[in-house]
Amino acid sequence: MEPIIETRDLTRRFGKLTAVDTLNISVQPGEIFGLVGPDGAGKTTTLRLLCGLIDPTSGSAHVAGFDVSKQSQSLKDQIGYMAQRFGLYSDLTVDENMTFYADLFGIVGEERERLKAQLMHMTRMEPFGARQAGRLSGGMKQKLALMCTLLHKPRILFLDEPTNGVDPVSRRDFWTILYQLLKEGITIFMATAYLDEAERCNRVGLMHKGKLIRCATPEALKQEAGQDTLEGVFIQTIRQLEGLAAFGAEHSRPGGTA
Ligand SMILES: Nc1ncnc2c1ncn2[C@@H]1O[C@H](COP(=O)(O)OP(=O)(O)OP(=O)(O)O)[C@@H](O)[C@H]1O
Ligand SMILES: [Mg+2]
């Protein structure tokens, strides 16, 4: 099968900083792919590149067959992007927020109402349609953001730490929705800070300082590192990398022994 997301040496620099460094990732249709890494690893920048929101400095990426830098307009219809701080209008109700996002995508009339009802049902948000977004719990806010992202029926969903700060029960609810979407054939590419969530992904990419350090199924990652959990793999890998960096600095010091 042709990959639905494929990057070739994808690189993005901000001045002297390389936020994403020669990234090579390929995701199959229907997969759920999890990107993990410490703060500042380059996860958000990767998502923004894949959604065509910023241009690569070098290298390329194709999503749903479109070149993300040259065909970002055509790409927009195929993807949904739930940003790390998704823009909900706190004074508008749940229903009004959805109407606003439907308008942005040119979804109107009966079609709009049908889609809204379907999403409210799927996320079990029906009782809260008239509540102002600012008065929702953290978990419900994230569900609303997800609904707004799904209104135009994207084939690929990009989620940036969608359950950050959400309680465990609401996180489980959120995952029930993600599984439902996967069953419908949607591909999901997510950045997550939770390793138990990464464990639920088909494949996991571990990013550090812009580079993809490891990329495999959770099982393969654990086996390779001789660890029982992904958390163990993560900590071991980061320690090794940072240990090596400290070692390098030591040995390149003027007057050092190396
Ligand atoms: N627009 C920008 N201008 C300058 N530097 C940027 C910009 N966007 C990101 N960076 C830098 O690029 C690096 C990667 O940032 P990014 O937001 O992609 O990391 P992240 O893995 O999503 O981190 P977090 O877990 O904190 O969300 C960071 O050092 C960040 O400061
Ligand atoms: Mg981020």
Side-chain angles (χ1 to χ4, degrees):
M1 236 192 301
E2 282 274 298
I4 196 160
I5 300 172
E6 190 166 40
T7 72
R8 290 226 175 98
D9 293 335
L10 185 67
T11 300
R12 171 69 200 212
R13 281 192 276 276
F14 295 109
K16 281 187 183 149
L17 178 95
T18 307
V20 173
D21 195 351
T22 53
L23 202 67
N24 289 293
I25 289 182
S26 126
V27 177
Q28 292 299 318
E31 250 195 305
I32 176 162
F33 186 93
L35 205 53
V36 298
D39 292 352
K43 303 177 297 292
T44 297
T45 307
T46 302
L47 289 172
R48 294 177 67 208
L49 285 164
L50 294 177
C51 293
L53 296 170
I54 51 171
D55 281 333
T57 309
S58 61
S60 64
H62 282 79
V63 172
F66 297 111
D67 184 309
V68 297
S69 65
K70 298 188 187 104
Q71 298 168 296
S72 59
Q73 273 311 311
S74 316
L75 176 64
K76 230 181 84 183
D77 295 332
Q78 308 287 320
I79 62 168
Y81 174 50
M82 187 172 146
Q84 205 162 355
R85 278 169 216 83
F86 188 86
L88 291 171
Y89 293 88
S90 53
D91 293 341
L92 299 186
T93 65
V94 167
D95 187 74
E96 288 163 348
N97 267 286
M98 288 176 81
T99 303
F100 174 83
Y101 278 97
D103 284 349
L104 276 189
F105 283 100
I107 304 159
V108 291
E110 266 177 41
E111 167 81 347
R112 181 177 75 198
E113 296 313 306
R114 197 179 56 73
L115 284 168
K116 272 163 55 179
Q118 202 181 318
L119 288 166
M120 295 280 269
H121 180 72
M122 181 177 75
T123 55
R124 294 193 286 142
M125 283 285 281
E126 280 145 329
F128 307 103
R131 188 177 291 191
Q132 284 184 323
R135 303 173 72 93
L136 295 172
S137 70
M140 285 200 272
K141 272 189 193 138
Q142 295 308 85
K143 280 197 207 173
L144 174 56
L146 182 65
M147 286 196 283
C148 293
T149 308
L150 289 170
L151 275 164
H152 64 292
K153 297 199 262 184
R155 289 169 61 200
I156 311 166
L157 199 51
F158 291 95
L159 307 173
D160 199 352
E161 305 199 18
T163 60
N164 249 20
V166 170
D167 76 73
V169 175
S170 302
R171 273 172 64 200
R172 200 182 49 197
D173 280 359
F174 197 90
W175 271 88
T176 307
I177 302 168
L178 295 187
Y179 285 133
Q180 170 96 27
L181 294 169
L182 289 168
K183 235 191 257 169
E184 289 168 16
I186 289 185
T187 306
I188 301 177
F189 189 103
M190 75 184 317
T192 178
Y194 295 110
L195 293 159
D196 61 318
E197 290 195 341
E199 196 106 40
R200 296 168 180 241
C201 294
N202 298 125
R203 275 183 317 128
V204 176
L206 173 56
M207 251 185 125
H208 183 253
K209 294 190 177 163
K211 281 195 156 65
L212 191 69
I213 304 298
R214 306 227 186 292
C215 183
T217 62
E219 279 315 310
L221 287 175
K222 286 186 278 184
Q223 212 164 36
E224 201 180 272
Q227 296 281 338
D228 296 331
T229 61
L230 270 188
E231 190 166 325
V233 176
F234 184 89
I235 292 169
Q236 184 193 65
T237 309
I238 302 295
R239 277 213 184 118
Q240 275 170 359
L241 288 166
E242 286 176 353
L244 282 177
F247 180 82
E250 184 97 340
H251 287 253
S252 61
R253 216 179 277 156
T257 48

